[in-house]
Amino acid sequence: MSSAKLFHSFFQKEPSITTSAHGRVNLIGEHTDYNNGFVLPSLIPQSLQVSISLRDDDKIIGISSEFGELQSSISSSNDGTWLDFVRGAIYFCQKISPSIKGMEIAVSSSIPSGSGLSSSAALEIALLRAISQLKDISIQSEEMAKIGQQIEHQFVGTQCGIMDQMASACGTFGQAIFLDCENLQTKSIPVFAHHSFVIIHSGSTRKLSHGKYNERKNETSKASEILEVPSLRHATIDQLMKIEDPIINKRAKHIISENDRVLKAVSCLEQDDPISFGKLMNSSHHSMRDDYEISSDELNQVVESANKNGALGARLTGAGFGGCVVILTPNKELPSVSKSVLDDCPQAYLVTTISKELNS
Ligand code: GLA
């Protein structure tokens, strides 16, 4: 059901505005964003819609197609529900337009949550689009992404990087966004003409992700302190010998090698070399499985099955600890690769496909 219909059936009136934002898949460059490195996400067709009306009091009344009905107020403490995102968006918009108070809100989404496809960033961006349009305040896309990230840091509790919000706020369909997280410069690059990225959910949802995510962030900050660099973006692979702690060493190895893989993957995309791109995806997955330790048995099984059945490469996408795998395959092999993976991994399901031919 659309968010406007949900709003109407729940609040018995029309919403003042409906906006939406898309999820993203990250093609390569995982956990590099909060180390000021490189990422290569692309929008997915699935999106999240919000319909809202502003209120004259401090109440927030919400209905979500996935998470049900909730009530709170703009001054309540964070409670781990999706209203934390709403409270965060109101808080930051109030800094620009102090007259904003509570709201009624309906949310509906086709982005599977907890799958590494950025349903949270889509909620932040859709909310900021809605409030800014309603109050006639102008927030540029990059600024919106930064506010979205602050909502996560201050209201949700994930010390995330900027990739998801930048992709959701600034991405274009059928293009990969090469983002330099140090200066937020972006470059759009068309995806391969005769190859597709298939996104398959491994069947395991993300578990304990906030804690593990923040733990990885602390481990990589520790590594940059040891190496005396402002961030691991500025470290090289030969510096690794200076890190004695085996865990911190492995974490840093993943980030440094992953940044290098993103730069190489960008060249592969520009030079239409899907074979080398696929190899980089496989090395990226191995690095996340063995050095960053964010994979799961289900994710590994999907990656192995894809490679065994004719894919050029595959890797987990997003924060890890469950969620989705992105697979690169020639367009003509797409149906057989997807079918074989789904046969091999009965708990897995197909989410979507990113393809120049199929999406145009
Ligand atoms: C989550 C975070 C991003 C990024 C990815 C891992 O999606 O929100 O900032 O760190 O994990 O690449």
Side-chain angles (χ1 to χ4, degrees), residues 85-101:
F85 291 86
V86 181
R87 223 176 282 112
I90 295 174
Y91 172 83
F92 287 106
C93 289
Q94 273 177 338
K95 290 183 184 277
I96 314 170
S97 178
S99 65
I100 299 170
K101 291 189 162 171

Side-chain angles (χ1 to χ4, degrees), residues 134-145:
L134 258 187
K135 294 303 280 184
D136 208 16
I137 49 183
S138 141
I139 311 178
Q140 300 302 310
S141 305
E142 190 180 308
E143 188 53 29
M144 220 174 243

Side-chain angles (χ1 to χ4, degrees), residues 24 29-31 33-34 160-164 213 318-319:
R24 62 99 190 96
E30 227 63 77
H31 289 260
D33 59 353
Y34 55 80
C160 67
I162 191 84
M163 165 172 70
D164 304 349
Y213 186 95

